[in-house]
Amino acid sequence: MAELRVEISTLELLAKDARLPERIAHMINDAYGYRRVTASEVRNRVEKSDGSCCANRVLHIAWCGDQLAGCCSSTVQPPFTCCGCGHWGLLSVCPTMQGTGVASALIAAAEDRLAQAGCIAVQIEYEYREGDEFCERL
């Protein structure tokens, strides 16, 4: 397996690959098994975050070599949590890459970002399905 890396999506990435939002949306929707997001929603997340140190919500992208492997969002101060409680969600891994450590790398990147921003707690977005081995693992 090629080297796994996680980065925060930026406008620079969009400039290099205009189809990136469509590719990310397709991967998310495949992982969720239904239409969870549109390419427009992904583009909006990237445009609002741009990876700057002051960005509230960003989209972390995992790559295995040059292949899109997964994504996860992190938000320093969402409107639905108390002060100091960050949030990560939209965790999605390409179905063919599931079980290879991509999700763990994305979660580590999101939680590291939130800790560096001063969050003392983290809320996660989680859909639990009884009997699902991946849900049981988390």
Side-chain angles (χ1 to χ4, degrees):
M1 185 166 96
E3 181 183 343
L4 181 65
R5 73 181 193 289
V6 177
E7 64 184 330
I8 292 176
S9 59
T10 63
L11 293 174
E12 185 178 325
L13 279 177
L14 290 183
K16 290 178 184 176
D17 182 358
R19 293 202 57 241
L20 186 59
E22 290 83 10
R23 293 173 51 213
I24 293 171
H26 181 77
M27 186 262 318
I28 291 169
N29 295 336
D30 277 356
Y32 272 78
Y34 62 91
R35 185 177 169 207
R36 172 69 172 75
V37 298
T38 65
S40 177
E41 291 168 326
V42 171
R43 181 178 304 283
N44 184 282
R45 284 181 184 230
V46 173
E47 288 173 349
K48 286 186 177 177
S49 74
D50 195 26
S52 74
C53 65
C54 297
N56 186 41
R57 181 167 82 171
V58 301
L59 189 62
H60 304 267
I61 306 291
W63 302 93
C64 186
D66 60 356
Q67 179 185 351
L68 177 65
C71 70
C72 176
S73 69
S74 68
T75 307
V76 173
Q77 187 56 68
F80 49 83
T81 64
C82 61
C83 186
C85 182
H87 174 269
W88 64 255
L90 196 67
L91 178 62
S92 305
V93 176
C94 178
T96 61
M97 301 287 299
Q98 292 176 2
T100 64
V102 174
S104 295
L106 285 161
I107 292 167
E111 290 189 344
D112 183 56
R113 175 180 177 264
L114 296 173
Q116 288 183 27
C119 294
I120 57 172
V122 176
Q123 179 190 63
I124 66 171
E125 175 186 308
Y126 183 52
E127 181 181 319
Y128 176 78
R129 291 179 308 280
E130 188 173 342
D132 182 298
E133 68 176 289
F134 291 114
C135 290
E136 299 289 341
R137 279 181 43 200
L138 186 59

